Amino acid sequence: MNPHRRSPWIIAATLLTLFFLYAPIVVLIVFSFNASRISPLFTGVITKFGPFQLVSGNVVQSPCGPFHWFCDLSQNTEVLSAARNTLFVAVTATIVSTIIGTMAALALQRYNFRLRTFSQISLYIPIVIPEIVMGITILVMFSQLFTFINDSLHLTGDSQLGLGLWTVILAHISFMIPFVTLVVQARLQGLDKSYEEAAMDLGANEWTTFRRVTFPMILPGVLSGALLAFTLSIDDFIITFFTNGPGSPTLPIYVYGLLRRVITPQLNALSTVWILLVLIAVFLTQRVESRQR
Amino acid sequence: MSEFAIELRDVVKKFITPEGNELAAVNHVTMQIKNGEFFSMLGSSGCGKTTSLRMIAGFEWPTEGEVYIDGELQGRKPPFLRPVNTVFQSYALFQHLTVFQNVAFGLEMEHTSKNDSRRRVGEALEMVRLTGMDKRYPKQLSGGQQQRVALARALVKRPKVLLLDEPLGALDLKLRKEMQLELKSLQKEVGITFIYVTHDQGEALTMSDRIAVMSFGKVLQMGPAVEIYERPANRFVADFIGESNFLDGSVKSVKDGQAVVYISAWGQELTGIVTSKVNVGDEVAISIRPEKIRLSDQSTPNAISLDGTVVNSTYIGSDTHIYLDVRGQRLKVWEQNRVSTLDPRAYYQNGQKIQLSLVPENTLVLPKE
């Protein structure tokens, strides 16, 4: 038997894995070009450019031609505002959680203090407990807190504290920190203490040592931690669902709302754009990381 | 300027082991290192040499006792305020910076002007023969080159004292020998005090003006290489530095720096030089270096002649190592191969009867501890 020939089982397993991973995505993208407004079946691609024309539920002609649903999407102010909310939450939460998470990693890895083991273990809790439990507990905490503050300060009307985007951001930060910390810690573990000692030996104080030596050396870890946190935030549904206030949905919340009403290929177009953005982000960070090495 | 570049006064450093026990890594060490000296701390791992060095650098603080640099008490001063620089065992070159940026790092911390810094980095790189490598990254250099960058990075700061923590440990033997000589001549050239930590006795003997032999956190002996090798203070030092034959005995009499020792295994008295104080009746060790035993029939004045049998003889090129049985005691003898010959008889044969002579000048009487 030729040892270089791969077993057909390996080939079959590979193909099946790829199929289950990517077939849904391909179908989703294909359907974003569907002519039918409501049909779950593919009725063909819109081919004609021209003024919008609808014949028995099928788009026959559109100013954007096959990209009709993307144009449609770009005029949907609700989607755009949901996208803005999502990005705002993700960017803010990523920045804050990356800073706090990195500091926590440094403290846990470089210093000995009381409750260190406890702190380390408590990091795993948000990762391990079910997201829905976390969502409910955060919601309960917020509502109790708000009731207490509103009552004790006699706040009324608009000045009352309530759920909103900022509570989503706080909730996201709290579940993103452990991910950042663990990723950065892994990087720090591989970083010999002598680099920092060398910097101090050459006359750098603690802050300069961090700025000039420690941080540049752990930067790849910090970046992958931040990226991980960002992707977790951008597609989080459950925790956002519990901590969000009315009137400012993020994309996942908005999509969920759409699903309950009517599904048009606009939703597919939205998902396609989303996938493309994530692909680009992943590609860019891969580039950055490979250059670091 | 103080007479001593570095002074350790009764320094103790205790650590808590993971099991919760207290361990004195450095146990009441006192050292005075003179300006411009090449000083080595020699000992096996865990003897406290690296901890001592780290307390001078400021990475550790003494539990008890004081560290002085150039006459100034250091206390709990952080490393970046001490006028010493370190060459690390792992080199610890900053991987994200070029060779130039690595060497310039320390000057930048002192806010040296751009021009000055460029000139001094150039000089430092020239000194370690790395001119033209300044744009490379550490990973693009060989081990020996990285070692020299680490050296240039520390020396460019013109420290009062340069601390070297086994800097040649990662290099192969040939390169290590080269670097030993290079370091020694570099030290003479720049005139900076070097404190060199090593577990390699050959390295310490080759380079140092003075050596401190350490074991279990204590200094056993401090002195020039010749003194350490020819007049070890006790059995441990004689055993650790080079090789030696040891015989147990008890002191019969002491006079004029010599002692007469009764070797019970042989039922015979031997006379030897006393290096540390011994008293009559003390149980001591007789130490004789293998290259200092003569195998010959000619008797020398006041030598003691003994009969032995060759147990094993090994030809190793420059020398022949002969292992003898002398009245039930094993002795090793190194003989230089001074004549070029293929005759096997010249290199001794197993079972051969042989006469050896011991002279008091080559015999040392050492305390056991």
Side-chain angles (χ1 to χ4, degrees):
Chain A
M1 205 178 117
N2 181 356
H4 297 289
R5 236 184 69 114
R6 289 202 179 87
S7 149
W9 291 106
I10 291 179
I11 297 168
T14 310
L15 288 178
L16 276 173
T17 308
L18 289 174
F19 178 80
F20 280 109
L21 271 177
Y22 292 110
I25 296 177
V26 172
V27 169
L28 179 125
I29 293 174
V30 169
F31 269 70
S32 62
F33 297 95
N34 198 356
S36 170
R37 240 175 77 87
I38 44 167
S39 169
L41 293 174
F42 196 68
T43 58
V45 179
I46 308 157
T47 48
K48 284 198 212 133
F49 287 87
F52 180 69
Q53 211 180 335
L54 194 71
V55 177
S56 63
N58 277 350
V59 180
V60 185
Q61 188 176 291
S62 158
C64 301
F67 297 101
H68 169 74
W69 299 115
F70 293 90
C71 292
D72 203 27
L73 177 74
S74 70
Q75 271 139 34
N76 186 337
T77 51
E78 282 180 17
V79 169
L80 292 179
S81 114
R84 246 196 322 274
N85 288 341
T86 309
L87 276 181
F88 177 67
V89 169
V91 170
T92 316
T94 300
I95 291 171
V96 177
S97 65
T98 302
I99 292 170
I100 298 177
T102 304
M103 294 199 300
L106 278 167
L108 288 168
Q109 206 59 41
R110 285 290 187 260
Y111 297 95
N112 247 320
F113 51 92
R114 279 173 49 178
L115 299 181
R116 197 180 82 141
T117 316
F118 173 78
S119 311
Q120 181 74 58
I121 293 167
S122 68
L123 267 183
Y124 292 101
I125 293 172
I127 296 176
V128 174
I129 63 167
E131 237 185 302
I132 191 152
V133 177
M134 180 123 171
I136 292 170
T137 48
I138 295 177
L139 173 65
V140 170
M141 182 199 75
F142 276 136
S143 62
Q144 294 294 319
L145 198 66
F146 291 161
T147 315
F148 174 74
I149 294 174
N150 290 338
D151 285 356
S152 51
L153 295 180
H154 305 291
L155 298 174
T156 50
D158 279 350
S159 60
Q160 274 195 333
L161 288 176
L163 296 172
L165 270 191
W166 69 281
T167 48
V168 177
I169 290 172
L170 284 179
H172 279 207
I173 290 170
S174 73
F175 86 81
M176 282 151 72
I177 287 172
F179 290 95
V180 178
T181 304
L182 291 178
V183 173
V184 176
Q185 245 188 311
R187 178 86 192 177
L188 269 171
Q189 248 155 19
L191 184 73
D192 196 44
K193 227 179 164 177
S194 64
Y195 293 110
E196 283 147 313
E197 288 181 346
M200 292 219 203
D201 188 70
L202 292 167
N205 60 25
E206 287 92 343
W207 171 240
T208 313
T209 298
F210 174 75
R211 208 166 41 85
R212 293 289 312 273
V213 174
T214 317
F215 187 68
M217 291 189 105
I218 60 168
L219 186 60
V222 174
L223 283 183
S224 13
L227 181 77
L228 180 64
F230 185 80
T231 49
L232 284 172
S233 166
I234 211 164
D235 72 354
D236 177 74
F237 175 78
I238 300 173
I239 289 175
T240 313
F241 181 78
F242 282 102
T243 52
N244 199 4
S248 51
T250 61
L251 269 183
I253 303 287
Y254 175 74
V255 170
Y256 179 71
L258 277 189
L259 280 174
R260 291 200 298 189
R261 284 182 277 153
V262 59
I263 315 171
T264 74
Q266 206 188 70
L267 194 61
N268 296 67
L270 173 62
S271 310
T272 304
V273 172
W274 202 336
I275 289 168
L276 277 178
L277 285 178
V278 170
L279 275 181
I280 291 169
V282 169
F283 177 74
L284 284 180
T285 45
Q286 286 285 331
R287 282 278 302 264
V288 170
E289 277 195 16
S290 65
R291 208 178 308 155
Q292 286 278 347
R293 258 172 227 129
Chain B
M1 197 151 121
S2 163
E3 184 193 351
F4 300 117
I6 299 286
E7 218 186 326
L8 303 186
R9 277 194 207 158
D10 205 21
V11 168
V12 177
K13 178 67 189 179
K14 287 179 180 155
F15 288 113
I16 306 291
T17 61
E19 294 85 44
N21 302 320
E22 206 173 61
L23 177 89
V26 172
N27 204 350
H28 298 286
V29 163
T30 297
M31 277 183 201
Q32 289 164 334
I33 297 157
K34 290 184 218 109
N35 279 306
E37 202 173 17
F38 197 124
F39 187 90
S40 291
M41 297 187 201
L42 175 64
S44 41
S45 68
C47 74
K49 55 191 195 300
T50 297
T51 309
S52 303
L53 196 77
R54 289 173 63 82
M55 282 191 285
I56 299 171
F59 301 133
E60 313 277 357
W61 293 318
T63 316
E64 287 168 38
E66 284 111 36
V67 175
Y68 293 84
I69 300 177
D70 201 24
E72 207 175 299
L73 178 63
Q74 296 301 305
R76 296 200 144 200
K77 232 189 233 181
F80 48 88
L81 296 180
R82 298 188 182 207
V84 297
N85 287 109
T86 310
V87 176
F88 291 84
Q89 187 171 15
S90 60
Y91 313 145
L93 297 177
F94 307 133
Q95 305 294 329
H96 59 291
L97 302 180
T98 62
V99 167
F100 180 91
Q101 290 168 326
N102 263 283
V103 178
F105 189 91
L107 297 178
E108 207 183 310
M109 295 303 126
E110 292 171 357
H111 305 290
T112 311
S113 76
K114 273 248 161 63
N115 280 333
D116 254 15
S117 150
R118 201 168 302 136
R119 183 177 52 79
R120 280 170 67 178
V121 171
E123 284 169 8
L125 287 177
E126 199 188 319
M127 193 161 60
V128 296
R129 297 185 289 112
L130 281 177
T131 310
M133 300 283 200
D134 44 1
K135 288 199 181 63
R136 304 247 188 124
Y137 283 88
K139 274 191 187 153
Q140 297 167 304
L141 302 178
S142 72
Q145 289 170 329
Q146 292 186 26
Q147 209 284 322
R148 298 213 293 269
V149 176
L151 202 58
R153 184 176 69 174
L155 279 176
V156 79
K157 299 260 298 178
R158 295 175 189 157
K160 287 236 160 58
V161 178
L162 187 73
L163 309 172
L164 302 105
D165 185 8
E166 307 224 13
L168 307 182
L171 304 180
D172 60 65
L173 188 68
K174 195 149 178 272
L175 196 53
R176 199 152 70 208
K177 295 255 181 226
E178 266 176 51
M179 283 303 295
Q180 285 172 12
L181 298 173
E182 215 169 290
L183 269 178
K184 178 75 188 161
S185 61
L186 189 68
Q187 191 261 342
K188 287 281 166 276
E189 192 184 317
V190 296
I192 291 173
T193 312
F194 275 34
I195 302 184
Y196 194 98
V197 159
T198 181
H199 66 272
D200 183 333
Q201 38 152 316
E203 213 164 271
L205 292 175
T206 311
M207 297 193 285
S208 325
D209 295 324
R210 275 199 309 153
I211 301 170
V213 182
M214 296 181 72
S215 172
F216 293 107
K218 290 196 161 155
V219 176
L220 298 181
Q221 191 175 0
M222 213 174 339
V226 179
E227 213 174 286
I228 301 270
Y229 188 81
E230 302 296 350
R231 296 290 180 269
N234 57 39
R235 190 186 190 282
F236 182 91
V237 176
D239 198 17
F240 187 73
I241 309 286
E243 295 202 44
S244 203
N245 295 296
F246 294 107
L247 298 162
D248 292 334
S250 58
V251 178
K252 289 281 151 223
S253 67
V254 187
K255 195 187 151 201
D256 297 337
Q258 291 204 330
V260 178
V261 176
Y262 179 74
I263 313 292
S264 52
W266 283 352
Q268 171 150 18
E269 285 180 354
L270 285 181
T271 310
I273 296 166
V274 174
T275 62
S276 313
K277 190 171 165 43
V278 288
N279 298 316
V280 174
D282 281 0
E283 291 295 313
V284 292
I286 289 286
S287 161
I288 310 162
R289 298 286 187 194
E291 74 278 8
K292 292 188 168 70
I293 298 178
R294 244 160 292 160
L295 300 178
S296 62
D297 306 325
Q298 318 144 10
S299 63
T300 29
N302 68 34
I304 287 174
S305 279
L306 294 160
D307 292 317
T309 315
V310 176
V311 175
N312 192 0
S313 157
T314 313
Y315 171 81
I316 63 152
S318 59
D319 292 326
T320 304
H321 288 183
I322 307 131
Y323 297 86
L324 300 170
D325 183 286
V326 180
R327 295 193 216 163
Q329 296 288 303
R330 281 295 159 88
L331 293 187
K332 44 197 174 191
V333 180
W334 301 170
E335 273 239 318
Q336 228 181 14
N337 299 327
R338 290 173 162 277
V339 181
S340 178
T341 173
L342 296 177
D343 183 1
R345 277 170 301 173
Y347 306 111
Y348 304 95
Q349 278 155 328
N350 296 356
Q352 190 179 334
K353 298 279 181 217
I354 213 163
Q355 208 173 45
L356 62 147
S357 53
L358 308 174
V359 290
E361 302 87 83
N362 290 344
T363 305
L364 302 172
V365 178
L366 307 177
K368 284 194 168 165
E369 282 314 319

